[in-house]
Amino acid sequence: MRLPRIGLGCMSLSHAYGVPPSPEDGLAVLRDALDAGVRMLDTATLYGGGRNEELVGRALAAVGPARRDEIVLASKGGMAPVDGVKTIDGRPQTLRAQVDASLQRLGVDHIDLYYLHRWDRRVPIGESVGALAEAVAAGKIGAIGLSEVSVARLHEAQEVAPIAAVQNEYSLWSRNPELGMLEATRETGVTLVAFSPVARGFLADGVGDPDRFAPKDIRRNMPRFQPEHWPANAALLPPWRALAAEAGCTPAQLALAWVLSRGDHVVAIPGTTDAGHVRENLAAADLVVDPAILQRAGELIDTPTVSGPRYNAASSAEVDAETFDEAA
């Protein structure tokens, strides 16, 4: 499956980063994004407890069936709120039900790419992937993806069914795919979908003061934004701004250009609630940045220069992707 180099991560339109826009404003962002040329929308069962899929479905209905065929629609299952608690559940019966519910909320007869959102350690990944393979055979989904998995889990899944994409966090300040996944996806013809490619707003120079995050902003629980780590990370921003200016682009565009430079099989799905930022991000796909500047970007912001792990202990326990602690 060939995916657009830059898509739109839709999560922030329904939850995660402070107070989301109203459904009407979120729909306007999506319609503007599609008009601007976005051709991949990424959502999930988890996002807003299904509200995000409903919002994306409204946007697709608004553009009509002819344009629907131009858009890669991606969603995810295997992680959802249950009685208000985020729950990882990769049992086949759960995934079957969640695929059907996603189709209904999105208002479509098929989803182009459907991910196992998290590997459920209680369930062999082959069983979860097998259920998704059934959905492919039934025409409900077009291809199978995995999210936040390790190379070992990717290979286990590939023994059961073809895997089209792996969606793991990847940016200048989260280099975990370089511990094997970047090469494994390249070698096996799998697309690596980089989520949070602008480091949850940090590389877009859009964070400001983390103390001013909304109470439910998920970054409040992320170590890199907390007082013991934030000052060291904030000190990277002035030289980062200067480097983007030297490249003749915005900080967010430089971050995206760096991610895309990691391989032809790498795509990015930055999220935003601002239509102007959507256009800014899309333009990064056509940027030509001096390789020397990209190299300097990679040296300025890298695992040794970034303070703090990407997740706290509870969130780290939910993911299977390689970590630098394991590599040490």
Side-chain angles (χ1 to χ4, degrees):
M1 168 177 280
R2 185 163 183 82
L3 301 180
R5 294 305 304 277
I6 293 181
L8 177 63
C10 299
M11 178 178 72
S12 59
L13 295 173
S14 298
H15 84 186
Y17 297 111
V19 179
S22 69
E24 292 72 22
D25 288 344
L27 180 61
V29 170
L30 286 171
R31 295 187 68 171
D32 284 347
L34 294 173
D35 287 343
V38 167
R39 291 297 177 263
M40 178 166 62
L41 300 176
D42 183 274
T43 181
T45 297
L46 177 71
Y47 301 162
R51 294 190 304 276
N52 195 252
E53 287 183 319
E54 292 172 351
L55 183 65
V56 170
R58 289 176 62 192
L60 293 174
V63 301
R67 289 185 62 190
R68 162 67 183 94
D69 292 340
E70 302 172 355
I71 298 161
V72 177
L73 175 61
S75 193
K76 311 177 194 73
M79 185 162 65
V82 177
D83 297 327
V85 178
K86 181 175 64 176
T87 303
I88 296 173
D89 185 348
R91 292 175 297 171
Q93 61 267 35
T94 299
L95 290 169
R96 294 185 192 107
Q98 289 182 354
V99 167
D100 288 343
S102 290
L103 288 167
Q104 183 173 8
R105 285 190 293 263
L106 289 161
V108 297
D109 59 7
H110 75 282
I111 299 167
D112 301 297
L113 175 60
Y114 199 87
Y115 295 92
L116 180 67
H117 204 160
R118 292 291 186 273
W119 173 45
D120 183 347
R121 298 175 188 274
R122 302 165 300 176
V123 180
I125 197 166
E127 294 184 13
S128 300
V129 170
L132 297 181
E134 293 173 5
V136 171
K140 296 179 179 181
I141 66 177
I144 301 169
L146 307 172
S147 182
E148 287 281 32
V149 295
S150 63
V151 172
R153 227 57 59 210
L154 169 61
H155 290 332
E156 288 179 21
Q158 288 173 316
E159 293 178 0
V160 176
I163 302 300
V166 169
Q167 183 180 138
N168 282 8
E169 184 172 358
Y170 193 27
S171 71
L172 282 157
W173 87 340
S174 291
R175 302 291 192 94
N176 303 66
E178 294 175 6
L179 296 174
M181 186 57 75
L182 183 64
E183 186 60 28
T185 48
R186 179 187 291 112
E187 289 178 348
T188 58
V190 174
T191 300
L192 178 60
V193 180
F195 78 83
S196 296
V198 296
R200 304 181 188 277
F202 176 79
L203 294 173
D205 198 16
V207 171
D209 183 358
D211 285 340
R212 301 182 66 179
F213 285 155
K216 292 186 178 180
D217 193 309
I218 62 173
R219 292 171 291 187
R220 284 192 172 274
N221 293 317
M222 294 179 173
R224 293 174 181 174
F225 297 101
Q226 294 174 345
E228 61 268 37
H229 298 293
W230 176 249
N233 293 328
L236 297 170
L237 288 174
W240 173 246
R241 294 183 196 109
L243 191 60
E246 184 179 345
C249 62
T250 68
Q253 288 174 332
L254 181 57
L256 291 168
W258 182 89
V259 168
L260 298 183
S261 76
R262 307 309 289 167
D264 292 340
H265 70 301
V266 180
V267 306
I269 51 167
T272 182
T273 59
D274 183 281
H277 290 163
V278 172
R279 289 176 169 80
E280 174 188 343
N281 294 339
L282 277 176
D286 298 321
L287 279 178
V288 178
V289 180
D290 186 336
I293 291 180
L294 294 175
Q295 180 176 345
R296 287 163 57 197
E299 294 167 351
L300 174 64
I301 300 177
D302 194 359
T303 305
T305 67
V306 173
S307 182
R310 69 184 180 116
Y311 284 139
N312 61 23
S315 295
S316 293
E318 297 177 348
V319 305
D320 177 55
E322 287 81 6
T323 70
F324 283 92
D325 288 339
E326 292 174 351

